[in-house]
Coordinates of all heavy atoms in Angstrom, one line a residue:
E905 N -9.3 -57.6 -47.6 CA -8.9 -58.2 -46.3 C -7.4 -58.5 -46.3 O -6.8 -58.4 -45.2 CB -9.7 -59.6 -46.2 CG -11.2 -59.4 -45.9 CD -11.9 -60.7 -45.9 OE1 -11.5 -61.6 -46.7 OE2 -12.9 -60.8 -45.2
H910 N -2.2 -57.2 -43.9 CA -0.8 -56.8 -44.2 C -0.5 -55.5 -43.4 O 0.5 -55.4 -42.8 CB -0.6 -56.6 -45.7 CG 0.8 -56.2 -46.1 ND1 1.8 -57.1 -46.0 CD2 1.2 -55.0 -46.5 CE1 2.9 -56.5 -46.3 NE2 2.6 -55.2 -46.7
L919 N 5.3 -51.1 -34.1 CA 5.1 -50.9 -32.6 C 6.2 -51.7 -31.9 O 6.7 -51.2 -30.9 CB 3.7 -51.3 -32.2 CG 2.6 -50.4 -32.6 CD1 1.2 -51.0 -32.3 CD2 2.8 -49.0 -31.9
L924 N 11.1 -51.5 -28.6 CA 12.5 -51.9 -28.3 C 13.4 -50.6 -28.2 O 14.3 -50.5 -27.3 CB 13.1 -52.7 -29.4 CG 12.6 -54.2 -29.4 CD1 13.1 -54.9 -30.6 CD2 13.1 -54.9 -28.1
R929 N 16.2 -46.7 -24.6 CA 16.3 -45.4 -24.1 C 16.1 -45.3 -22.6 O 16.9 -44.6 -21.9 CB 15.3 -44.5 -24.8 CG 15.4 -43.0 -24.5 CD 16.7 -42.4 -25.0 NE 16.7 -41.0 -24.6 CZ 17.8 -40.4 -24.1 NH1 18.9 -41.0 -24.0 NH2 17.8 -39.1 -23.8
L933 N 18.8 -44.0 -19.9 CA 18.5 -43.0 -18.9 C 18.8 -43.5 -17.4 O 19.3 -42.8 -16.6 CB 17.1 -42.5 -19.0 CG 16.8 -41.7 -20.3 CD1 15.3 -41.4 -20.4 CD2 17.5 -40.4 -20.2
M952 N 25.0 -45.1 -2.5 CA 24.2 -45.2 -1.3 C 23.1 -46.3 -1.5 O 22.9 -47.1 -0.5 CB 23.5 -43.9 -1.0 CG 24.5 -42.8 -0.6 SD 25.6 -43.2 0.7 CE 24.4 -43.5 2.1
E954 N 23.6 -49.1 -3.2 CA 24.4 -50.3 -3.1 C 24.8 -50.5 -1.7 O 24.8 -51.7 -1.2 CB 25.6 -50.3 -4.0 CG 25.2 -50.5 -5.5 CD 24.6 -51.8 -5.7 OE1 25.3 -52.8 -5.7 OE2 23.4 -51.8 -6.0
L955 N 25.2 -49.5 -1.0 CA 25.6 -49.6 0.4 C 24.5 -50.2 1.3 O 24.7 -51.1 2.1 CB 26.1 -48.3 1.0 CG 26.5 -48.2 2.4 CD1 27.6 -49.2 2.7 CD2 27.0 -46.8 2.8
W958 N 24.1 -53.8 0.4 CA 25.2 -54.6 0.9 C 25.1 -54.8 2.4 O 25.4 -55.9 3.0 CB 26.6 -54.0 0.6 CG 27.0 -54.2 -0.9 CD1 26.1 -54.3 -1.9 CD2 28.3 -54.4 -1.4 NE1 26.9 -54.4 -3.1 CE2 28.2 -54.5 -2.8 CE3 29.5 -54.4 -0.8 CZ2 29.3 -54.6 -3.6 CZ3 30.7 -54.5 -1.6 CH2 30.5 -54.6 -3.0
R961 N 22.6 -57.5 2.7 CA 23.3 -58.8 2.4 C 24.1 -59.4 3.6 O 24.0 -60.6 3.9 CB 24.2 -58.7 1.2 CG 23.6 -58.7 -0.2 CD 24.6 -58.3 -1.3 NE 25.7 -59.3 -1.3 CZ 26.9 -59.1 -1.9 NH1 27.1 -57.9 -2.5 NH2 27.8 -60.0 -2.0
A962 N 24.8 -58.5 4.2 CA 25.6 -58.9 5.4 C 24.7 -59.4 6.5 O 25.0 -60.4 7.1 CB 26.5 -57.8 5.9
H963 N 23.6 -58.8 6.7 CA 22.7 -59.2 7.7 C 21.9 -60.5 7.4 O 21.8 -61.4 8.2 CB 21.7 -58.1 8.0 CG 20.7 -58.4 9.1 ND1 21.1 -58.4 10.4 CD2 19.4 -58.7 9.1 CE1 20.0 -58.7 11.2 NE2 19.0 -58.9 10.4
Y973 N 36.6 -44.7 2.1 CA 36.1 -43.3 1.8 C 37.4 -42.4 1.6 O 38.2 -42.4 2.5 CB 35.3 -42.8 3.0 CG 34.3 -41.7 2.5 CD1 33.1 -42.0 1.9 CD2 34.6 -40.3 2.7 CE1 32.2 -41.0 1.5 CE2 33.8 -39.3 2.2 CZ 32.6 -39.7 1.6 OH 31.7 -38.7 1.2
V976 N 40.4 -36.1 -1.7 CA 41.6 -35.5 -2.3 C 42.0 -34.3 -1.5 O 41.2 -33.3 -1.4 CB 41.4 -35.1 -3.8 CG1 42.7 -34.6 -4.4 CG2 40.8 -36.3 -4.6
H986 N 46.2 -24.0 -10.9 CA 46.3 -24.6 -12.3 C 45.0 -24.5 -13.1 O 45.1 -24.9 -14.3 CB 46.9 -26.0 -12.2 CG 48.1 -26.1 -11.4 ND1 49.4 -25.8 -12.0 CD2 48.4 -26.5 -10.2 CE1 50.3 -26.0 -11.1 NE2 49.8 -26.4 -10.0
G987 N 43.9 -24.2 -12.5 CA 42.7 -24.2 -13.2 C 41.8 -25.4 -13.0 O 42.4 -26.5 -12.6
G1003 N 40.0 -47.9 -10.4 CA 39.5 -49.0 -11.3 C 40.5 -50.1 -11.5 O 40.2 -51.2 -11.7
V1005 N 42.8 -51.1 -9.3 CA 43.2 -51.8 -8.1 C 42.0 -52.4 -7.4 O 42.1 -52.8 -6.3 CB 44.0 -51.0 -7.1 CG1 45.3 -50.5 -7.8 CG2 43.2 -49.7 -6.7
I1012 N 32.8 -48.6 -7.3 CA 33.6 -47.4 -7.1 C 32.7 -46.2 -7.5 O 32.0 -46.3 -8.5 CB 34.8 -47.3 -8.0 CG1 35.6 -48.6 -7.9 CG2 35.7 -46.2 -7.5 CD1 36.6 -48.8 -9.0
D1018 N 35.5 -33.7 -4.4 CA 36.8 -34.4 -4.3 C 36.7 -35.6 -3.5 O 37.7 -36.1 -3.0 CB 37.8 -33.4 -3.8 CG 37.5 -32.8 -2.4 OD1 36.4 -33.2 -1.9 OD2 38.3 -32.0 -1.9
N1037 N 45.4 -49.1 3.3 CA 46.8 -48.6 3.3 C 47.4 -48.7 1.9 O 48.1 -47.8 1.5 CB 47.6 -49.3 4.3 CG 47.2 -49.0 5.7 OD1 46.7 -47.9 6.0 ND2 47.3 -49.9 6.7
L1055 N 51.4 -32.9 -11.4 CA 50.9 -32.7 -10.1 C 51.0 -34.0 -9.3 O 50.7 -35.1 -9.8 CB 49.4 -32.3 -10.2 CG 49.1 -31.0 -10.8 CD1 47.5 -30.8 -10.9 CD2 49.6 -29.9 -9.9
S1064 N 35.5 -48.5 6.8 CA 34.5 -49.0 7.7 C 34.1 -50.4 7.3 O 34.0 -50.7 6.1 CB 33.3 -48.1 7.8 OG 32.4 -48.6 8.7
E1067 N 29.1 -55.4 8.3 CA 28.8 -56.8 8.8 C 27.4 -56.9 9.3 O 26.6 -55.9 9.2 CB 29.7 -57.1 10.0 CG 29.7 -56.1 11.1 CD 30.9 -56.3 12.1 OE1 31.5 -57.4 12.1 OE2 31.2 -55.3 12.8
S1070 N 25.0 -53.9 10.5 CA 25.4 -52.6 10.0 C 24.3 -51.8 9.3 O 23.5 -52.4 8.7 CB 26.6 -52.7 9.0 OG 27.8 -53.2 9.6
R1071 N 24.3 -50.5 9.5 CA 23.4 -49.6 8.9 C 24.2 -48.7 7.9 O 25.2 -48.2 8.3 CB 22.6 -48.8 9.9 CG 21.7 -49.6 10.8 CD 21.1 -48.7 11.8 NE 20.2 -49.4 12.7 CZ 18.9 -49.5 12.7 NH1 18.3 -48.8 11.8 NH2 18.3 -50.2 13.5
E1074 N 25.4 -45.3 9.2 CA 26.5 -45.4 10.2 C 27.8 -45.9 9.6 O 28.9 -45.4 10.0 CB 26.0 -46.4 11.3 CG 24.8 -45.9 12.1 CD 24.2 -47.0 13.0 OE1 24.7 -48.2 13.0 OE2 23.2 -46.7 13.7

Side-chain angles (χ1 to χ4, degrees):
E905 288 172 328
H910 182 70
L919 288 172
L924 286 174
R929 183 67 181 138
L933 289 172
M952 293 307 296
E954 286 298 289
L955 178 56
W958 286 32
R961 278 175 60 199
H963 182 72
Y973 204 82
V976 184
H986 302 282
V1005 296
I1012 315 166
D1018 56 1
N1037 290 331
L1055 292 175
S1064 182
E1067 55 193 340
S1070 292
R1071 294 175 183 257
E1074 293 168 359

